[in-house]
Amino acid sequence: MLDTTALLDQIVPAAEAAATAYGVSVLTRTKDEAANATVRLGQRLIHRLLNHDTDTAPDSDPVRTAVVRLAEAGADPDVLALHRAELRLALRTALTETPDLAAELSALLPAPPPPPVVHAEGERSVAVGGDNSGTISTGDGAGGAPRR
């Protein structure tokens, strides 16, 4: 099963980019060569989301409503944040209610980058493959907290 939160973290920025770049016309625009890759991805995702269920009237679709509201939000950061959250909630509902839709959307997303390869060699060596905000200590009597 796919991780809905991780999927949302990839879908929402792309859908938001398309909605803010094209406004309400993103709902009908299918291709624009001048658009950047994120906007084109957002267009494909929104198109797939809005056309996943032909039995649902387009005007009643919560995803469509959220996209329109986000597209019309203007520059007020509080209004943008509210409509971004509304889009995320509408997408979460759509993805959890339609697991096959989550798989289809995942297929549209670029592959995640491979995890970093790290290698430590030698006695008491340390390798960190990502961020570290804590103390890394090796040696005899290493207690973790720095001494002053």
Side-chain angles (χ1 to χ4, degrees), residues 51-139:
N51 296 304
H52 74 276
D53 185 357
T54 56
D55 296 331
T56 303
D59 293 334
S60 65
D61 190 344
V63 173
R64 175 181 292 276
T65 300
V67 168
V68 169
R69 286 185 173 177
L70 182 60
E72 297 175 342
D76 183 332
D78 292 332
V79 174
L80 283 170
L82 174 68
H83 293 308
R84 187 177 296 119
E86 180 183 25
L87 176 60
R88 188 175 178 91
L89 290 171
L91 289 171
R92 177 177 301 200
T93 300
L95 292 172
T96 55
E97 290 179 355
T98 316
D100 60 321
L101 177 62
E104 290 179 36
L105 294 177
S106 290
L108 293 175
L109 296 171
V117 177
V118 296
H119 179 75
E121 192 171 313
E123 186 178 344
R124 297 182 180 154
S125 295
V126 176
V128 177
D131 294 332
N132 175 55
S133 60
T135 303
I136 297 177
S137 178
T138 65

Side-chain angles (χ1 to χ4, degrees), residues 1-57:
M1 185 165 138
L2 296 169
D3 179 5
T4 302
T5 300
L7 188 57
L8 287 170
D9 288 344
Q10 290 184 290
I11 293 172
V12 171
E16 178 184 352
T20 56
Y22 293 113
V24 177
S25 69
V26 73
L27 300 174
T28 56
R29 185 180 295 232
T30 58
K31 195 168 189 178
D32 180 9
E33 294 305 320
N36 65 37
T38 301
V39 172
R40 285 194 306 270
L41 174 60
Q43 288 173 310
R44 289 192 310 269
L45 291 168
I46 289 172
H47 176 75
R48 185 63 199 107
L49 281 160
L50 297 179
N51 296 304
H52 74 276
D53 185 357
T54 56
D55 296 331
T56 303

